[in-house]
Amino acid sequence: MPLEQFLRKSYKAQSNTHIASLKNAGNTGIKGAWSGSELAPSMRSRGVTVASAQIKPTGLMMQASEIRRVRKVEWQYGFLPAAPPYLQAYLCNAARCAALGSGSGSTDRFNGDNANSNFVFAFVISGKGALLPAIRGEKLRLVVSYE
């Protein structure tokens, strides 16, 4: 199953909320941010995509009546022992996914999307067969800045 299809299926299974994608209005001012964390999934096999639980907006974002748009998303993830260099990592919302080049960073890939949307991390290690030893997921962190 292609990654995008897997992630959309995983996303829909965890949430009945429809998340609308908005057009980028061009205003780059940051008005606020929300952050969240979850535990990264453990990985025991190569070639198997695993997804985290959804990271959901917190606090006042849950009650916001006006739609706020994403400006920047920052992430951090880790594994013990350290993930192999051929780990592929992705961050997704209901509208799109972004490949993550490292264990921490930021992206503007989600600019213009609804800032009140959930996010999910997904990981796959290329190849086939068992990982010995398995790698244990550490905490995933996410900060969504919005206007």
Side-chain angles (χ1 to χ4, degrees), residues 3 6 41-51 87-88 122-131:
L3 178 65
F6 168 84
S42 293
M43 301 184 73
R44 294 173 178 80
S45 299
R46 292 177 186 86
V48 176
T49 303
V50 295
L87 172 79
Q88 298 168 33
F123 304 95
V124 65
I125 297 173
S126 58
K128 292 185 180 191
L131 282 172

Side-chain angles (χ1 to χ4, degrees), residues 28-106:
T28 59
I30 303 286
K31 292 186 180 176
W34 65 266
S35 63
S37 62
E38 281 290 340
L39 189 60
S42 293
M43 301 184 73
R44 294 173 178 80
S45 299
R46 292 177 186 86
V48 176
T49 303
V50 295
S52 70
Q54 289 187 30
I55 298 176
K56 301 175 182 181
T58 57
L60 296 176
M61 275 304 294
M62 297 291 291
Q63 301 167 4
S65 59
E66 71 179 83
I67 296 176
R68 309 207 186 251
R69 287 168 278 184
V70 173
R71 284 294 148 230
K72 181 169 104 174
V73 176
E74 299 173 58
W75 76 87
Q76 183 179 11
Y77 67 83
F79 292 93
L80 289 174
Y86 42 91
L87 172 79
Q88 298 168 33
Y90 303 89
L91 180 62
C92 303
N93 66 9
R96 67 194 88 254
C97 291
L100 307 178
S102 66
S104 64
S106 65

Side-chain angles (χ1 to χ4, degrees), residues 123-142:
F123 304 95
V124 65
I125 297 173
S126 58
K128 292 185 180 191
L131 282 172
L132 297 173
I135 58 175
R136 186 183 63 190
E138 291 187 299
K139 190 172 270 193
L140 303 168
R141 291 182 179 89
L142 188 69

